[in-house]
Amino acid sequence: MHALAGLRTISRTLLQGYVQRTQATEAQQKSAENDTRLVTAVSGFPKPGSAYNIDNILKGQIGDDAYFVARHVDQWTSAEEFGDDSPSVGGSSAGSSSSSSSSSEDVHRPATGNADVIGVADGVGGWRAYGVDPGQFSMNLMKCCERLVVAGYFQGSQPASLLAQGFREMQENKQQIIGSSTACLMMLSHTDLKLYTANIGDSGFLVVRQGEVVHRSQEQQHYFNTPFQLSLPPTHLQSEVLSDRPESADSYEFSVEDGDVILLATDGIFDNVPDNLLIAEMYKVQHCKDIQRLQQTANSIALMARRLSRDPKFLSPFSKNALAAGIEAEGGKPDDITVLLATVNL
């Protein structure tokens, strides 16, 4: 009974928040269906013992995890691409207007920043031992990337460069945020309709087509349960903290098809939910353009991950990897859970 009540609550609150965050995208979908590339829903839970704060989740933070969903469309490119006589209005999923150029030269310049962009990051929890909130680093990293997308200061085919730019902003901040984080960014370019990704650490993605995995990321780990990570340690801890460069991110690019289903998530999903269960849920929403239905499936995946993470007898992907590394383990891995579920609408 308690679980059922919880399901109703997360479905209602996350759906309401998602609709608020994506008013611009929904308006574009109704007025010009071809102008909507990704239909996206977000769901998740903080790790056990953390307060469930829906306001934080709607702002992009789930425990030590963080995420963003953004879109940039230049006005002049929209007119040229869709054959309109006058420029159409672009924007981001967060409701901010896109940048555009008014010079006649720019109209003939190739579009480089027109894309739907999504991202997740997972703050390294070990920083709590030093009195540092791990969620602040991941949250600020995603916010920096989101601002760059909304402003148009990015290349629509270079997520690794966007990640490096966002990290550089944090490095140059006068009030530097201490911490570490994994990160995974994904761009659907409006120019060539390809998907471009950059992944550092053990967050990642799956792309499913007709019930089959056609693309997936690979974990980057120094050793078991120690992923690659971007770090900004204080001076006295620099020799003790793992710190990888944005250039170390694995980059992928591939074409997508109408109806493809994309899952972008932190390790709270991948450590607890086997691929076959993820694929079964994703298959249900292929070609789905209904945001409510997509949200329900994202919620189902998040709830599944939370349930399995608390099962002490479940042979989870995490416990299998631990056994392969010579470590005795069983059960799920309680962790922050963040899932972005999207369908490609061409």
Side-chain angles (χ1 to χ4, degrees):
M1 192 68 176
H2 177 72
L4 183 59
L7 177 58
R8 287 199 300 266
T9 300
I10 189 173
S11 297
R12 182 172 64 254
T13 54
L14 281 178
L15 177 58
Q16 289 172 347
Y18 176 74
V19 171
Q20 291 169 4
R21 281 181 60 87
T22 58
Q23 289 174 346
T25 301
E26 288 186 73
Q28 290 166 3
Q29 180 174 329
K30 291 175 183 177
S31 62
E33 185 174 333
N34 286 338
D35 197 32
T36 301
R37 305 299 186 181
L38 286 183
V39 182
T40 312
V42 182
S43 191
F45 293 97
K47 65 172 64 71
S50 305
Y52 184 89
N53 189 322
I54 189 61
D55 291 330
N56 284 349
I57 291 175
L58 297 179
K59 292 175 184 176
Q61 184 171 14
I62 304 177
D64 298 339
D65 290 353
Y67 73 88
F68 77 95
V69 178
R71 188 165 197 261
H72 184 85
V73 180
D74 285 323
Q75 291 182 359
W76 60 267
T77 305
S78 295
E80 182 181 87
E81 189 173 358
F82 299 116
D84 296 333
D85 293 329
S86 59
S88 61
V89 178
S92 78
S93 66
S96 302
S97 61
S98 66
S99 62
S100 60
S101 175
S102 58
S103 73
S104 58
E105 290 181 12
D106 288 343
V107 175
H108 302 290
R109 190 180 58 199
T112 54
N114 290 358
D116 288 352
V117 187
I118 56 179
V120 295
D122 181 1
V124 176
W127 282 102
R128 280 198 174 81
Y130 299 92
V132 173
D133 178 359
Q136 288 301 304
F137 187 94
S138 56
M139 179 71 166
N140 278 272
L141 179 61
M142 293 294 94
K143 286 299 180 186
C144 287
C145 292
E146 182 178 21
R147 281 195 299 271
L148 289 164
V149 172
V150 171
Y153 294 123
F154 74 108
Q155 297 288 316
S157 60
Q158 297 181 21
S161 295
L162 173 62
L163 184 61
Q165 286 176 268
F167 184 59
R168 191 180 309 118
E169 277 197 7
M170 293 183 66
Q171 288 176 308
E172 296 172 353
N173 196 319
K174 292 180 180 178
Q175 295 182 327
Q176 196 169 91
I177 304 295
I178 293 172
S180 307
S181 176
T182 67
C184 186
L185 300 185
M186 178 177 287
M187 298 176 172
L188 180 58
S189 169
H190 297 180
T191 306
D192 58 12
L193 302 182
K194 283 187 177 181
L195 207 59
Y196 296 87
T197 68
N199 181 63
I200 187 159
D202 56 5
S203 295
F205 66 86
L206 278 178
V207 181
V208 169
R209 180 180 304 154
Q210 301 298 328
E212 300 288 338
V213 175
V214 290
H215 302 287
R216 72 165 304 149
S217 58
Q218 298 298 319
E219 289 186 358
Q220 290 182 313
Q221 298 212 35
H222 291 284
Y223 43 89
F224 176 69
N225 206 29
T226 306
F228 281 36
Q229 54 202 261
L230 303 178
S231 300
L232 289 177
T235 304
H236 67 283
L237 290 176
Q238 285 182 353
S239 62
E240 302 176 28
V241 174
L242 287 172
S243 185
D244 299 289
R245 303 297 303 166
E247 294 76 20
S248 298
D250 283 339
S251 296
Y252 307 85
E253 67 173 85
F254 42 85
S255 298
V256 290
E257 296 181 6
D258 183 59
D260 284 355
V261 186
I262 297 165
L263 182 143
L264 185 71
T266 57
D267 64 333
I269 293 289
F270 298 112
D271 280 344
N272 290 299
V273 187
D275 277 4
N276 64 310
L277 297 182
L278 291 174
I279 294 165
E281 289 297 314
M282 294 170 70
Y283 182 69
K284 295 175 182 177
V285 290
Q286 62 178 350
H287 294 285
C288 178
K289 302 174 187 177
D290 183 333
I291 291 177
Q292 292 192 22
R293 185 175 159 214
L294 196 66
Q295 185 66 59
Q296 289 169 355
T297 302
N299 292 348
S300 295
I301 292 172
L303 284 163
M304 184 191 307
R306 185 175 69 163
R307 175 176 59 81
L308 294 175
S309 74
R310 296 174 173 181
D311 186 343
K313 298 300 182 183
F314 175 61
L315 189 59
S316 65
F318 178 80
S319 61
K320 288 181 180 179
N321 290 335
L323 291 169
I327 300 171
E328 290 190 18
E330 63 178 352
K333 180 191 175 186
D335 202 352
D336 299 304
I337 293 165
T338 300
V339 54
L340 274 67
L341 191 63
T343 56
V344 178
N345 176 23
L346 303 183

